[in-house]
Amino acid sequence: MKKPVTISVITATYNAAEALPGLIDSLRAQTDKEFQWVVIDGASTDDTLAFISAATDLNIQWISELDFGIYDALNKAIRQTNSSYYLVLGADDRLKSDAIQLYKEAAHKTDADVITAKIQVNNRLIEHRSGPTWLYGAFNLVSSHAVGAIFKTALHEQFGYYSRKFPITADQLFIKRLVVGGASIYKASFVAGTFGHEGLSNSDLVGTLSETFRVQLETEKIKWLQVALYIVRLIRHYRRL
């Protein structure tokens, strides 16, 4: 008999008081309320901690202390959970009310290392892209690291934790390492929720493009092709740089 699937939602926050209430409301609205919420706060100075400490109706565990960025906080959260899977949510992300339930059902059915689902971004429906990883990178494998995928917690024992060398794209590096290492991915058809746009990857385009290039350079065999693609992307986004 399979063990019950357990999920921890993990969130890194810093001065997120404006966005956090919407996330909390979406967690409270879940049809399956059997999940843990682990929040690692980077010593916020606004009302973030007031919202977190007031969410006593949720199975919440949290700490607030200085950290080295999002992935350092996520690594702390992963080490504090005993759940079989975890789901990353930013303060500005929102879950559909049946997301936890559907993720659990897919995990129970498939026992896949990673379950990826569709997400909404600016009223557009996004799923994993079809195509080679040399072109799309991690987005050929999952729709999104946050909201759009759950990961077996035990994967970090084999593949390590999120790298602090990549403050913006450590998730892309981790996902690509999983696939190279033979981890299984199940691509579900349901919509998990809405991905927010207030994160670092959207506010620092130059940093995101540069780190994505470094990840691709580290994980793909044809290096010159990644250099060419990086130049093309810089030209494409020139007016936004």
Side-chain angles (χ1 to χ4, degrees):
M1 180 179 296
K2 292 183 179 179
K3 294 182 179 179
V5 174
T6 54
I7 292 180
S8 285
V9 173
I10 66 174
T11 302
T13 59
Y14 178 70
N15 288 348
E18 184 174 343
L20 198 56
L23 172 61
I24 294 173
D25 287 344
S26 76
L27 294 177
R28 285 174 171 153
Q30 291 302 300
T31 55
D32 184 337
K33 300 184 184 301
E34 296 298 318
F35 63 91
Q36 179 189 35
W37 186 28
V38 181
V39 183
I40 307 298
D41 178 74
S44 290
T45 57
D46 64 358
D47 290 331
T48 295
L49 298 185
F51 286 115
I52 293 171
S53 59
T56 54
D57 54 317
L58 297 172
N59 178 18
I60 186 172
Q61 177 180 343
W62 64 275
I63 60 172
S64 181
E65 61 186 19
L66 293 175
D67 56 42
F68 293 96
I70 295 172
Y71 295 104
D72 182 39
L74 294 183
N75 286 338
K76 290 179 182 180
I78 291 164
R79 290 186 175 100
Q80 291 196 23
T81 178
N82 293 318
S83 298
S84 49
Y85 288 84
Y86 69 88
L87 167 65
V88 177
L89 292 178
D92 59 336
D93 296 331
R94 308 290 182 258
L95 280 187
K96 294 282 189 181
S97 60
D98 57 357
I100 295 292
Q101 175 186 338
L102 293 176
Y103 269 130
K104 281 187 179 181
E105 289 175 358
H108 181 77
K109 175 184 176 182
T110 66
D111 195 36
D113 294 314
V114 182
I115 311 289
T116 184
K118 300 176 183 179
I119 61 171
Q120 290 180 322
V121 181
N122 286 342
N123 297 317
R124 292 187 302 120
L125 204 58
I126 304 295
E127 57 185 321
H128 65 278
R129 294 173 177 173
S130 58
T133 57
W134 61 259
L135 180 60
Y136 294 120
F139 298 108
N140 182 47
L141 308 169
V142 300
S143 61
S144 174
H145 174 248
V147 186
I150 61 172
F151 301 84
K152 278 189 175 178
T153 308
L155 289 170
H156 291 278
E157 298 176 5
Q158 181 178 358
F159 297 98
Y161 288 82
Y162 295 111
S163 172
R164 283 171 50 182
K165 289 170 53 181
F166 296 87
I168 303 174
T169 62
D171 55 330
Q172 295 183 33
L173 178 63
F174 178 67
I175 291 168
K176 294 201 72 177
R177 283 177 174 172
L178 293 183
V179 176
V180 171
S184 58
I185 298 179
Y186 175 72
K187 297 169 181 178
S189 60
F190 65 88
V191 180
T194 302
F195 179 79
H197 272 278
E198 298 180 12
L200 184 59
S201 62
N202 290 298
S203 62
D204 185 357
L205 179 59
V206 174
T208 300
L209 290 174
S210 299
E211 284 198 19
T212 297
F213 166 64
R214 289 172 57 204
V215 168
Q216 289 293 88
L217 203 62
E218 186 169 321
T219 57
E220 295 291 336
K221 294 181 179 179
I222 306 177
K223 309 300 182 183
W224 67 263
L225 180 57
Q226 295 308 315
V227 173
L229 287 171
Y230 179 50
I231 294 171
V232 169
R233 287 168 181 148
L234 287 174
I235 295 172
R236 178 185 175 189
H237 295 286
Y238 173 74
R239 294 183 181 277
R240 295 174 55 198
L241 298 178

